[in-house]
Amino acid sequence: MLLFYAPDLCPPEYTLNEEESKHCIRVMRLTCGDEVHLTDGRGTLYRCRIVAADPRRCRVEVVDRKTEFEPLPYRLTMAVAPTKNADRFEWFLEKATEVGVTEFVPLETARSERHVFKPERAAKVITAAMKQSLKAYRPELHALTPFAAFVTTPFAGRRLIAHCGTALSPAGKRYLADSLLPHEDVQILIGPEGDFAPEEVALALEHGFEEISLGSQRLRTETAAITATVMVSVVNTQQPHTPAPNHE
Amino acid sequence: MLLFYAPDLCPPEYTLNEEESKHCIRVMRLTCGDEVHLTDGRGTLYRCRIVAADPRRCRVEVVDRKTEFEPLPYRLTMAVAPTKNADRFEWFLEKATEVGVTEFVPLETARSERHVFKPERAAKVITAAMKQSLKAYRPELHALTPFAAFVTTPFAGRRLIAHCGTALSPAGKRYLADSLLPHEDVQILIGPEGDFAPEEVALALEHGFEEISLGSQRLRTETAAITATVMVSVVNTQQPHTPAPNHE
């Protein structure tokens, strides 16, 4: 299945951009009548047929559509301080998109080693991962957000902050995988290489965040972030026990 | 804490190689009397003191040692088909070393897109990740191993094969996170971009492997591999609930 991202698609027809047209016609060697899939990134999957196999302006027509195609059974916002090395953060965006995230918030923190965040490349990585993993929902990417602005914005769901320092709350730190409940709407904060400052943890606690641990291993920022993403996915995955077909 | 890898260390003294000496003296600006840590990668952590701050041949003397320093509470062998793009496989090796793996087996499979595996770079990545995440146990990296050779080698622990096709066993596929037990000695097989061939799955089943699923998301080889690694880590992690210090 070949999936393209068409946020501005309005049926019955759509013209792929030059890059996608080239991929479709020159690389994949598709031609008139062949099927491709498009998504608006908002949950609708369109099955389309190529009606003009133009390598620069490939036109397709919608055959049918599925709305709410394979939605995640949870909402997860990963608010992560971009790593000093941009590639590491982009790896996280790619992997987390595959595993399942609804929103990415690049956090500007007291100890951040990177204070400029270029969303263009990051957006490309997310789109490519969405297409590659055949998802109809595209995670939302926010602009670089100051830590205080994020944590002081009211939020109804679970708010969790992962840090390596001593617990500051009477409740203390809980292991993330043990503290999650299925189908929660979750925000998880992951700090920069130098961790969150104690003042930041304190501010988060004042605004409804709970302290979590990701276990005893020392993890890089992006490793901690993908580890947390997998834990949320696990807690929300019904055991899809697939019996084998009958063996005659 | 600064950790170096010294597999050939024999107390009381050790001389760091040129690269590590430079890092110690020129980059970190350490000098005589300063402390560094060394590990043999087999579980022993040595606390050492610099006795000759030579930027090319830095000599240290062992102050004390801890044996069996923070061992993993499980044994995990990740047998994974190297990805077409070497960086993606190396990214997995780095992340999995941080999260916790005991052995890496690069698998040569029927549908592998890469049939040459250069262990030198991979070994460097593993060593760097071990040092960076302050581990005293270095995951063992095996040479590229033919699929049949690996699965037909007897193994006493749990044997699990992840694949995307229809289940072939009467037991069917179970979700990995639900099928694991704590403290098991586990082997997990992750296939190449084109998945394992049905004949490979069948051969594995004949040799004690159980079929597993990693959930409903479509994951790249290296994403599937790190996801499985995190699941094993989660099942083996006692909830380290850290109460806060008393609040007077």
Side-chain angles (χ1 to χ4, degrees):
Chain A
M1 172 168 156
L2 190 57
L3 181 64
F4 292 103
Y5 179 46
D8 53 346
L9 185 155
C10 71
E13 286 209 336
Y14 186 75
T15 302
L16 299 177
N17 66 32
E18 182 152 2
E19 183 187 354
E20 294 182 322
S21 299
K22 187 181 166 197
H23 182 66
C24 229
I25 307 305
R26 288 256 185 274
V27 181
M28 304 302 294
R29 306 292 182 87
L30 298 183
T31 176
C32 275
D34 287 343
E35 271 193 2
V36 295
H37 287 76
L38 275 63
T39 178
D40 57 8
R42 297 181 296 277
T44 303
L45 184 72
Y46 297 90
R47 189 160 62 86
C48 301
R49 185 176 297 118
I50 295 174
V51 290
D54 183 324
R56 279 172 310 149
R57 302 182 60 265
C58 174
R59 223 167 71 249
V60 303
E61 111 194 327
V62 173
V63 177
D64 63 31
R65 80 186 69 181
K66 288 200 192 86
T67 56
E68 297 184 20
F69 177 76
E70 296 183 5
L72 285 175
Y74 57 90
R75 288 189 56 78
L76 170 61
T77 298
M78 290 300 300
V80 181
T83 50
K84 188 174 178 183
N85 171 334
D87 290 349
R88 294 185 170 279
F89 192 72
E90 286 167 12
W91 269 113
F92 159 66
L93 295 175
E94 176 182 301
K95 300 310 167 205
T97 298
E98 290 177 53
V99 173
V101 163
T102 36
E103 294 182 47
F104 292 110
V105 180
L107 277 186
E108 183 166 27
T109 70
R111 298 177 182 167
S112 287
E113 300 198 43
R114 194 146 65 94
H115 296 278
V116 180
F117 177 74
K118 298 212 177 69
E120 299 74 15
R121 261 184 66 173
K124 279 205 175 83
V125 168
I126 292 169
T127 299
M130 172 194 67
K131 288 156 65 177
Q132 200 275 339
S133 58
L134 306 180
K135 290 178 171 19
Y137 289 90
R138 185 178 183 281
E140 185 180 355
L141 174 65
H142 293 263
L144 188 63
T145 306
F147 181 86
F150 183 79
V151 300
T152 57
T153 302
F155 175 72
R158 285 292 293 286
R159 310 193 90 177
L160 306 169
I161 180 168
H163 68 97
C164 307
T166 316
L168 298 182
S169 59
K173 283 186 191 180
R174 286 194 66 199
Y175 182 49
L176 175 57
D178 295 332
S179 72
L180 289 166
L181 298 171
H183 313 307
E184 288 185 297
D185 188 351
V186 185
Q187 287 181 338
I188 297 178
L189 305 183
I190 304 287
E193 283 83 346
D195 205 358
F196 288 118
E199 305 70 37
E200 290 175 319
V201 176
L203 183 67
L205 294 176
E206 285 170 25
H207 291 83
F209 280 85
E210 305 163 50
E211 295 173 285
I212 54 164
S213 132
L214 298 172
S216 58
Q217 304 302 317
R218 297 164 192 83
L219 306 176
R220 285 176 174 273
T221 292
E222 74 278 10
T223 316
I226 192 66
T227 296
T229 305
V230 170
M231 289 179 182
V232 173
S233 167
V234 166
V235 169
N236 284 281
T237 300
Q238 304 297 330
Q239 178 180 340
H241 186 170
T242 320
N246 298 336
H247 294 248
E248 276 81 20
Chain B
M1 171 167 155
L2 191 57
L3 181 65
F4 293 103
Y5 180 45
D8 53 347
L9 185 155
C10 71
E13 287 211 336
Y14 185 76
T15 302
L16 299 177
N17 66 32
E18 182 152 1
E19 184 187 354
E20 294 182 322
S21 298
K22 185 181 168 196
H23 182 66
C24 230
I25 307 306
R26 289 256 184 275
V27 181
M28 303 304 292
R29 305 291 182 87
L30 299 183
T31 176
C32 274
D34 286 344
E35 271 192 3
V36 296
H37 287 76
L38 276 62
T39 178
D40 57 8
R42 297 181 297 276
T44 303
L45 185 73
Y46 297 90
R47 189 160 62 87
C48 302
R49 184 176 295 118
I50 296 174
V51 291
D54 183 324
R56 279 170 310 149
R57 302 180 61 264
C58 175
R59 223 166 73 249
V60 304
E61 133 195 305
V62 173
V63 178
D64 63 31
R65 80 187 68 182
K66 287 201 192 85
T67 56
E68 297 184 20
F69 178 74
E70 297 183 4
L72 285 175
Y74 58 90
R75 289 188 56 77
L76 170 61
T77 298
M78 290 300 299
V80 181
T83 51
K84 189 174 176 182
N85 171 335
D87 291 350
R88 294 184 170 279
F89 193 72
E90 287 167 10
W91 176 89
F92 159 66
L93 294 174
E94 176 182 302
K95 298 310 164 210
T97 298
E98 290 177 54
V99 173
V101 163
T102 35
E103 295 182 47
F104 291 110
V105 180
L107 276 187
E108 184 166 26
T109 69
R111 299 176 182 168
S112 286
E113 300 199 42
R114 194 146 64 94
H115 296 278
V116 180
F117 177 73
K118 298 213 179 68
E120 299 75 16
R121 261 185 66 175
K124 279 207 177 82
V125 168
I126 291 169
T127 299
M130 171 194 67
K131 288 156 64 177
Q132 199 274 342
S133 59
L134 306 180
K135 290 177 170 23
Y137 289 90
R138 183 177 185 280
E140 183 180 356
L141 175 65
H142 293 264
L144 188 63
T145 307
F147 181 86
F150 183 78
V151 300
T152 57
T153 302
F155 176 71
R158 283 296 290 287
R159 311 191 90 177
L160 306 170
I161 180 168
H163 69 97
C164 307
T166 316
L168 298 181
S169 58
K173 282 186 192 180
R174 288 194 65 199
Y175 182 50
L176 175 58
D178 294 333
S179 71
L180 290 167
L181 297 170
H183 313 306
E184 288 184 298
D185 188 351
V186 186
Q187 289 180 338
I188 297 179
L189 306 183
I190 303 288
E193 284 81 347
D195 204 359
F196 288 117
E199 304 69 35
E200 289 174 320
V201 176
L203 183 67
L205 294 176
E206 284 170 25
H207 290 84
F209 280 85
E210 305 164 49
E211 296 174 285
I212 54 165
S213 130
L214 298 171
S216 58
Q217 305 302 316
R218 296 164 194 83
L219 307 176
R220 285 177 175 273
T221 292
E222 73 278 9
T223 316
I226 192 65
T227 297
T229 305
V230 170
M231 289 179 183
V232 172
S233 167
V234 166
V235 169
N236 284 282
T237 301
Q238 305 295 330
Q239 178 178 340
H241 186 173
T242 321
N246 297 335
H247 295 249
E248 276 82 19

